[in-house]
């Protein structure tokens, strides 16, 4: 791998939410690890699945060859062992259909049985007795032309606190190219090869700028099914059996963010019906669709030779999916994605929540902090995304507080049928947001950042790359701060009450409520 030289990245490493500590795992069952695993395995209903599982090869990690985006090679390195976690990487190989999706309803097969090999990154509790039985499975975001671990970035606190596993799948050929640039020997066998020859009339002459006629973007749908099936299987290659030969995964939750949030619309509406027909049940027990909906990343081409469903196409919406879905839009994208709005529902078969994260940006610092380090991005032949825009640093607003709560609430909804809270969308009149006296949006998911404000939060900025959806912050001047908070204690008291109310309504996890209170206590306000 090339060594990183000569690229500077200006950023603030002051995080608003602290790193979760070790030891915060669910209680161990009497009898130790084996008893816990046996009890969990015995409680699982048997589902005879026809979806095949891929062939698996585990990759070792050394100082010279390690996973792209490995936890200890992130922009902010993590020592997972301190949290009681381990990281493993696998190659997954199999055959996938390429689909066409000409109209609402299930997709149709365009080309059968195309061979593939992709890579799968796994982070899990080191010991089986600490595993919750939940796995969060994410198609890794390729929007910067390399894998971003965004689901881990925005939800790892809840994942670790609950003892869940996280799995990231390389989802697009352009990301495969980056991996091969990064470590040709490690990733040389990866393949999203187009099953159609260049002279095949179905192999379109024109593809998107981030695509190639020799590869096929549309292999990911069956890959997503097959990896999920593998994680729920008794296969000896499944790292979530913890060597016991019995599936320990109780619930698998799909998560996508931005581009891969849109991928979930394709998968849920176009491919999951085939899974239910063949297997009798969905593979994924619920979904979190992050910052994708309506005209903003609401769906993608099912294969690289056809267009995405139109902005108003019903395929961009979720209805009667059969498992719960929580969609979260940000302040950067909710207006363009306003078509994603629909009524919340607790009806069995159509359980749905729509949230809009007031104050939160779409392109966050966290997605860069918790993905590959700049030197590894450069070694992959890619440009390091800017941490700063013309208005200043990317917004530090911690959207993780909303994703942590969403994951906790999704699990409660699936396991115990405890419905998540409902929230009004961001208030819009005549196509524009209604702002409060401080210039902040009204409505949406609330937090002390807007309800006990010290800044104005913007959802869009100007500058290179994805600055148009990065957002930024404008702190209040001293006169405004002094007029709002006579002393530091009054500010901390107001934050404490706000987060307690939000926690009581299940809009915040207890860990995030505590962290926000502690952050306020440390703040130099006023």
């Amino acid at each position: 791998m090339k060594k990183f030289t000569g690229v500077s990245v200006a950023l603030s490493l002051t995080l608003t939410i602290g790193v979760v500590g070790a030891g915060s795992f669910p209680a161990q069952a009497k009898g130790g690890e084996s008893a816990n695993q046996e009890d969990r395995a015995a409680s699982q209903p048997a589902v005879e699945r026809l979806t095949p599982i891929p062939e698996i090869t585990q990759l070792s990690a050394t100082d010279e060859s390690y996973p792209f985006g490995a936890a200890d090679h992130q922009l902010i390195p993590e020592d997972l062992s301190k949290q009681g976690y381990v990281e493993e990487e696998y190659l997954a190989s199999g055959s996938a259909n390429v689909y066409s999706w000409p109209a609402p309803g299930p997709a149709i097969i365009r080309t059968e049985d195309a061979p593939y090999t992709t890579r799968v990154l796994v982070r899990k509790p080191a010991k089986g007795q600490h595993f919750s039985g939940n796995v969060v499975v994410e198609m890794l975001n390729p929007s910067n032309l390399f894998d971003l671990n965004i689901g881990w970035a925005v939800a790892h606190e809840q994942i670790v606190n609950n003892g869940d596993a996280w799995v990231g799948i390389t989802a697009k050929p352009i990301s495969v190219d980056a991996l091969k640039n990064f470590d040709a020997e490690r990733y040389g066998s990866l393949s999203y090869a187009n099953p159609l020859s260049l002279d095949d009339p179905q192999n379109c002459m024109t593809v998107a700028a981030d695509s190639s006629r020799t590869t096929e973007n549309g292999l990911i749908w069956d890959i997503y099914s097959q990896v999920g099936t593998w994680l729920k299987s008794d296969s000896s290659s499944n790292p979530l059996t913890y060597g016991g030969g019995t599936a320990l995964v109780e619930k698998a939750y799909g998560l996508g963010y931005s581009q891969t949030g849109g991928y979930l619309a394709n998968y849920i509406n176009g491919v999951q019906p085939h899974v239910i027909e063949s297997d009798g049940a969905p593979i994924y027990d619920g979904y979190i669709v992050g910052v994708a909906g309506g005209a903003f990343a609401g769906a993608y081409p099912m294969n690289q030779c056809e267009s995405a469903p139109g902005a108003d196409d019903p395929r961009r919406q979720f209805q009667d999916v059969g498992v719960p879905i929580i969609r979260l839009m940000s302040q950067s994208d909710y207006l363009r994605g306003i078509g994603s709005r629909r009524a919340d529902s607790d009806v069995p078969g159509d359980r749905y929540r729509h949230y809009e994260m007031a104050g939160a940006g779409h392109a966050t610092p966290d997605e860069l902090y918790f993905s590959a380090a700049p030197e590894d991005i450069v070694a992959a032949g890619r440009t390091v995304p800017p941490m700063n825009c013309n208005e200043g640093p990317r917004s530090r607003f911690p959207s993780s507080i909303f994703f942590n709560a969403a994951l906790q609430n999704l699990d409660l909804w699936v396991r115990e049928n405890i419905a998540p809270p409902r929230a009004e969308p961001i208030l819009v009149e005549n196509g524009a947001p209604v702002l409060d006296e401080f210039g902040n949006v009204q409505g949406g998911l609330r937090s002390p950042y807007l309800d006990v404000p010290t800044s104005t939060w913007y959802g869009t900025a100007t500058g290179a790359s994805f600055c148009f959806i990065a957002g930024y912050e404008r702190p209040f001047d001293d006169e405004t701060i002094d007029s709002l908070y006579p002393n530091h204690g009054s500010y901390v008291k107001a934050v404490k009450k706000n987060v307690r109310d939000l926690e009581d309504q299940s809009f915040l996890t207890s860990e995030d409520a505590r962290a926000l209170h502690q952050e306020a206590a440390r703040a130099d306000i006023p």
Side-chain angles (χ1 to χ4, degrees), residues 325-345:
I325 294 180
I326 296 176
R327 192 201 302 261
L328 300 98
M329 303 297 287
S330 78
Q331 191 173 314
S332 306
D333 47 56
Y334 76 99
L335 277 177
R336 275 170 286 183
I338 204 164
S340 64
R341 290 180 174 180
R342 56 151 286 191
D344 290 338
S345 173

Side-chain angles (χ1 to χ4, degrees), residues 402-423:
F402 300 132
F403 280 93
N404 288 334
L407 182 55
Q408 177 175 271
N409 289 334
L410 179 66
D411 191 40
L412 289 170
W413 211 2
V414 170
R415 289 180 174 273
E416 302 180 32
N417 200 29
I418 297 174
R422 300 182 183 216

Side-chain angles (χ1 to χ4, degrees), residues 28-42 128-129 248:
Q28 179 177 338
K30 291 182 179 180
E33 179 170 359
S34 60
N36 189 334
Q37 293 181 13
E38 290 168 6
D39 291 345
R40 185 181 297 137
Q129 75 263 36
L248 297 183

Side-chain angles (χ1 to χ4, degrees), residues 394-464:
R394 289 188 183 199
S395 173
R396 66 180 178 91
F397 192 103
S399 59
S400 58
I401 62 176
F402 300 132
F403 280 93
N404 288 334
L407 182 55
Q408 177 175 271
N409 289 334
L410 179 66
D411 191 40
L412 289 170
W413 211 2
V414 170
R415 289 180 174 273
E416 302 180 32
N417 200 29
I418 297 174
R422 300 182 183 216
E424 293 298 319
I426 293 174
L427 187 58
V428 175
E429 290 183 0
N430 300 318
V434 178
L435 305 180
D436 65 17
E437 60 183 303
F438 305 109
N440 286 316
V441 297
Q442 300 185 55
L445 287 176
R446 307 303 294 178
S447 71
Y449 295 99
L450 273 70
D451 291 343
V452 191
T454 60
S455 297
T456 301
W457 300 90
Y458 298 88
T460 61
T462 60

Side-chain angles (χ1 to χ4, degrees), residues 263-283:
Y263 284 9
L264 286 179
N266 293 60
Y267 179 81
I268 293 167
N269 290 330
V271 179
Q272 182 172 273
H274 293 295
V275 173
I276 295 172
E277 182 180 10
S278 67
D279 294 7
I283 295 162

Side-chain angles (χ1 to χ4, degrees), residues 27-58:
Q28 179 177 338
K30 291 182 179 180
E33 179 170 359
S34 60
N36 189 334
Q37 293 181 13
E38 290 168 6
D39 291 345
R40 185 181 297 137
S43 70
Q44 295 310 297
V47 177
E48 193 69 32
R49 294 196 178 275
L50 297 181
T51 297
I53 64 172
E55 295 182 7
I56 300 296
T57 303
Q58 186 170 0

